[in-house]
Amino acid sequence: MKSFSIIGNTIVALFICILSTSISQANDGDYVLFNSLNADFGIVQNDRVADIYVDKSDHKGVLRAVNNLQADIKKVTGKLATVSNSNHTPDNAALIIVGTIGRSALIDQLVRTQKLDIESLQGQWEAFRIEVIDNPFPQSHPSTKKALVIVGSDKRGTTFGVYDLAEKIGVSPWYWWADVPVKQSKQLYVKHNTYYQTQPKIKYRGIFLNDEAPALTNWVKAKFGEYNHQFYQHIFDLLLRLKANFLWPAMWNNAFSDDDPLNMVLADEYGIVMSNSHHEPMLCADKEWDRRGTGKWDYDVNAENLYQFWQKCAERNKPFESIYTLGMRGQHDTPMSENENIELLEHIVADQRTILSNVFKDREVSDVPQVWTLYKEVQSYYEKGMRVPDDVTLLWSDDNWGNIRRLPTPQERKRKGGAGVYYHFDYVGGPRSYRWINTTPIAKIWEQMALAYQFDAKQIWLTNVGDLKPMEYPTDFFLTYAWDPEAIPKEKLAEYTHEWVKQQFGDKYATQIASILTTYTRHNGRRKPELMDVTTYSQFNYNEADRISVELSDAVDLAERINNTLSDDKKSAYFQLVLHPIKATANLYELYNNVAKNRLYASQGRASANKYAAAAQKNFETDAALKATYHQLNNGRWAHFMDQTHIGYTHWNNPPADVMPWLATSSPANVSDMGVAVEGTANVWPHIDRLVLDQFSPFGQKQRYIDVFNKGLMPFEFSATASKTWVTLSHNKGLLTNDTRILVGVDWAKAPKGELSATVFIKGTGWGGATVNISAFNPGNTVVRGFVEADGYVALEAVSAQALGSTDNASWQEIPFHGRTQSSMSAMSKNIDQSIQNYKDAPYLEYDLFLFNQGAVEIQTLVAPSLNFVPTRGLRFAIGFDDEEPIMVDVLENSKQNDWQESVKNGVRYAVSHHNVKQPGAHKLRIYMVDIGVVIQKVIVNTGGLKKSYLGPEQSMWVD
């Protein structure tokens, strides 16, 4: 068997642009120990707990974080540290000192006495250092032998340092939002010679609470009454623990500043930078205009009232750290007009800038953070020439399905305001709303956001998380990756998942739980649950529907076994983050799988159709039961978070309630009546005189099936007889009540060379029986090597290539776990603004094939549904056999609305090329790099026998 390793000794660190402000780290971030071995500082040692000092004049957010750290230490150890913020330094052998540069007298003292060097921190954005210092105050407090210093360059830097320590001692950022238990330890230490310093690579990192009704809104109403500061304090705390700093608040029927005047005050105290969604200008909520606005939401006819409205919002929010959204869309997040009125929108932006100039008289308007979100039709305004001042951040958007529409050009990268990306884990709109459950694999996030980082879109990274729950896993990854994309190269995606699971549940089952997360997110990423129906996966070809069923049921079984061994304190979090997602995902799949079998079997006259109807109905009830269990966790703590309907979509938006798909009913008579069906067709005997199985090859599908079934209620004896000894049957007789599946194969040691034929005769009720034609092709001693043609195709996982022709600047590289089946190969280059013009100079993927046929073949290259994020060029690669001139393929050649819809529904685009194979035998299929960002998942060479399925056939056999 071939070892599918990627050839090439040079691993180019593509997608990485080292910032000039990067901070070298003397050691990694795992500086906390739970025993004294190799320890230097005792947070809790024996019965002593270190005191915590923070200057009372430090920022309110820092003081709050310190109080939370005090509580977190107690949760972990049961010991309560003393917090002091007076001018008197605590007299303790071990002291934790927390402070912001310029706001802490004690930090200043350490700097003056040269115990602390802050030069590398000064002027940095949100940077922090954690350092153990010996004898910090040798004159005034000689008894203080060691201090653990957490110092920040600014208020959030210090806060992030505090929460970094809290996380390391065993308090997950999800302790409140997912009931993750705190890791218990009687002792807490810091490693010897700890010196850890870091800062974010992306300036603003945050989330958007959106599409929040019914789930989040119903929960908020039940727990807090409304979206008030009591609710938002938990959002702020989570964001800071995830080292995020930016929020677009809930807006469907809410107005952040108007709902509760303390919302904005508390956000600023915590240190959260507030803004409003892409269609809510000037920190004025859409619903606030509904409540207080005068006249029409139309600047062409109501400019004066809108101007005054925006000015009041700007004045209200002046004291707080904010980013002002510029521009204007239509009310309730619709296009502003049927026509692109660029002149009017430029006038609106100019007036908004005037408002900001008048409100912020203490600074230049260019120093007031502003953003223009190029969402949906607004991007077309930009592409047709509309511009905003250079200091305004351009926030590019994805297509609502995780594919970035545009990234900065070389000229745009020079803009003072920079650029960012608005991303989606949740969406209401076409081609189908998806809001129920997590459907975004982290490998997909990595692939797209790594491009954003490489193209210098580093000012704002924002993702739409819907209701927040159940998007915990991708939200954590998105924000962690935003802190430092260089810390999570693609090779560490599996490690990230393992470490995230370990943080929530411990190390014992981390590998297995990580595999469960990968399984359910990959499945939902293949096709979102809201898009699933009875036709999605093939009931006829490549055993596809049943293969997926086994994959998901195995993951459920594993998840259940782990759940049965977990301690009670972990089970709530485990249900929320692992067990519910995989069980709900698998159950919904089985619902459609059983409905598909019910309808098929009813059409074939099988009595067992009713069994599958009952199973489907049970799946529908199980879905409701899983929802109820989720809502009953911890005495209803998370009630309503599964309120989103997700079964029975008929158009782009959800039905008002989950709707059971229609079921067929069978009315079998109290008799015995045989029917026979075969793999690959809905046809049955006796309606069809002779049934035919597809040809067998020693290099193809090993077994095909014959179904013998009862159309009545009375059992009967059946027999199956093969006409040739080389035909194998899994069983050849039995007493049949409902259905039996006979697996047919070939004993190649007995099969003669060449084209072969045989029959299988099925005898049961009645006077006759069913004849099934069997054919096979045995090439005998033909020497083959490579992926061998069989069953009319060669199917290749993209990652099974040899990656050849790599240079220091460009190469094909694997993105693990990316795509619908295995991993993907991505065209990566440091020369992001150049395409490769000559295929002879291009890195290429090479697949060794052996073909038994010659002539015309069609190649389907399945690529990620990426968009032309670089204007003026598509997404191209070149493909060809052997040394022939390859065919240039533009993935986006068909880029009409319907083509885009199909690509995001399917999770791939089909790039089709046609070739002529001049002779049978060994060939090399080569795919040459042209444009950066092409991501290939699978390649299928159709030599005439490829059948319809969702994922395509499994990879062909490799012969060495």
Side-chain angles (χ1 to χ4, degrees), residues 668-697:
N670 195 30
V671 297
S672 300
D673 190 6
M674 184 179 79
V676 178
V678 298
E679 182 175 348
T681 177
N683 295 330
V684 297
W685 178 91
H687 301 295
I688 300 296
D689 184 41
R690 277 181 177 251
L691 300 169
V692 180
L693 280 177
D694 288 339
Q695 187 180 64
F696 285 91
S697 163

Side-chain angles (χ1 to χ4, degrees), residues 114-126:
Q114 298 184 345
K115 289 288 186 177
L116 179 65
D117 183 358
I118 61 169
E119 183 178 357
S120 61
L121 284 176
Q122 288 182 321
Q124 299 300 315
W125 176 264
E126 297 179 348

Side-chain angles (χ1 to χ4, degrees), residues 892-903 909:
L892 298 172
E893 182 178 4
N894 296 318
S895 56
K896 296 178 181 178
Q897 178 71 5
N898 186 63
D899 298 307
W900 168 79
Q901 288 187 344
E902 290 305 306
S903 75
R909 287 182 184 267

Side-chain angles (χ1 to χ4, degrees), residues 88-127:
H88 175 69
T89 306
D91 190 10
N92 193 325
L95 180 63
I96 300 173
I97 302 172
V98 178
T100 308
I101 293 175
R103 298 295 290 261
S104 171
L106 215 52
I107 293 293
D108 292 345
Q109 181 180 340
L110 291 172
V111 173
R112 285 195 306 272
T113 58
Q114 298 184 345
K115 289 288 186 177
L116 179 65
D117 183 358
I118 61 169
E119 183 178 357
S120 61
L121 284 176
Q122 288 182 321
Q124 299 300 315
W125 176 264
E126 297 179 348

Side-chain angles (χ1 to χ4, degrees), residues 507-528:
D507 191 45
K508 185 175 182 180
Y509 299 109
T511 300
Q512 296 95 319
I513 296 173
S515 74
I516 296 167
L517 295 183
T518 300
T519 296
Y520 99 77
T521 53
R522 185 195 289 278
H523 176 77
N524 288 338
R526 288 168 177 157
R527 194 168 185 90
K528 298 187 186 299

Side-chain angles (χ1 to χ4, degrees), residues 532-550:
M532 282 283 295
D533 62 35
V534 298
T535 66
T536 301
Y537 291 97
S538 176
Q539 295 290 331
F540 301 112
N541 301 318
Y542 311 125
N543 196 33
E544 185 174 63
D546 290 340
R547 194 172 79 239
I548 301 302
S549 180
V550 170

Side-chain angles (χ1 to χ4, degrees), residues 177 338 473 535 651 666 705 892:
W177 278 101
E338 294 182 4
Y473 174 46
T535 66
H651 70 310
S666 176
Y705 65 78
L892 298 172

